Amino acid sequence: MMQHSRHLVECQVPKVALRASASPRWVPCPASAGLEAQFPNPDTVQNMEGTAAHEMLERRLKGVTTSAYDDVGRKAENGVELNEEMARHVEDVNIALDTWRGPDIDMYVEQPVVTPQDGVPGHLDIGAWNATTKSLKIGDFKYGYGEVDPLGNSQLIHYGLGLEAALGVQIDWFEFVIFQP
């Protein structure tokens, strides 16, 4: 079970075309945000599976289940059946997070954030704030088919700046991690 799991005060997440998760597209090409807003984002098998795997991760990290395998065979809110492959990845992430946990660490799971610099909303998967070292770790859970690089990742930067603003602290050190199969 996650120690010191917290959820910040509810964040007013505006309904806007820009989302932190899409920033790898619109940061290098700002005009793409306006164009994307004109087209619906169709549900694909891949993004529906990713959403279901995120639900499994959230339940595991918030202590709703004692093992991700408890959810195997259950239908996620979007109707996708949770499977052993998802559970294996969720448990791998949970084990990796052991190095993030501790008595001085506040953990945040599925935390809505908004960056004060540009008002872009997002939903960070995992955040770990250490007030002693003034450091923040941001983890993004991927359950997809493409490899994602955390180096210079605008999505993670938005999440980090949004959580820093929500905490109302000055962070001296950010660490960004992608958890992907």
Side-chain angles (χ1 to χ4, degrees):
M1 181 177 281
M2 182 166 283
Q3 293 179 338
H4 298 86
S5 181
R6 299 180 188 265
H7 190 77
L8 298 174
V9 259
E10 286 303 314
C11 189
Q12 291 298 326
V13 177
K15 298 275 186 202
V16 295
L18 297 179
R19 307 293 279 169
S21 57
S23 66
R25 288 188 300 275
W26 58 258
V27 165
C29 181
S32 68
L35 291 172
E36 280 187 21
Q38 297 176 30
F39 301 97
N41 189 9
D43 286 332
T44 64
V45 171
Q46 292 84 4
N47 68 23
M48 289 183 69
E49 285 179 349
T51 298
H54 271 81
E55 182 180 321
M56 181 185 267
L57 176 71
E58 180 178 10
R59 288 170 49 82
R60 176 67 174 101
L61 296 182
K62 288 186 173 178
V64 175
T65 60
T66 56
S67 167
Y69 290 97
D70 295 345
D71 270 344
V72 171
R74 186 180 71 77
K75 294 241 188 226
E77 288 181 18
N78 67 2
V80 172
E81 187 171 320
L82 302 171
N83 61 48
E84 287 191 23
E85 181 183 341
M86 292 173 185
R88 188 170 36 259
H89 186 41
V90 166
E91 287 302 319
D92 287 347
V93 170
N94 188 52
I95 290 167
L97 290 175
D98 283 344
T99 63
W100 291 28
R101 297 180 177 111
D104 297 331
I105 309 297
D106 290 330
M107 299 291 288
Y108 300 91
V109 177
E110 289 300 323
Q111 175 63 51
V113 295
V114 176
T115 53
Q117 295 83 354
D118 54 17
V120 172
H123 230 95
L124 75 84
D125 296 335
I126 307 156
W129 163 241
N130 185 328
T132 304
T133 62
K134 295 188 180 213
S135 62
L136 179 64
K137 293 181 181 183
I138 298 293
D140 196 40
F141 178 71
K142 301 294 186 192
Y143 187 79
Y145 300 94
E147 191 170 318
V148 179
D149 188 353
L151 186 62
N153 185 298
S154 58
Q155 179 181 3
L156 296 179
I157 292 168
H158 273 86
Y159 291 161
L161 294 173
L163 187 54
E164 178 182 43
L167 292 170
V169 297
Q170 173 69 42
I171 294 173
D172 293 340
W173 182 259
F174 287 92
E175 182 177 337
F176 301 118
V177 178
I178 301 285
F179 296 105
Q180 56 193 359

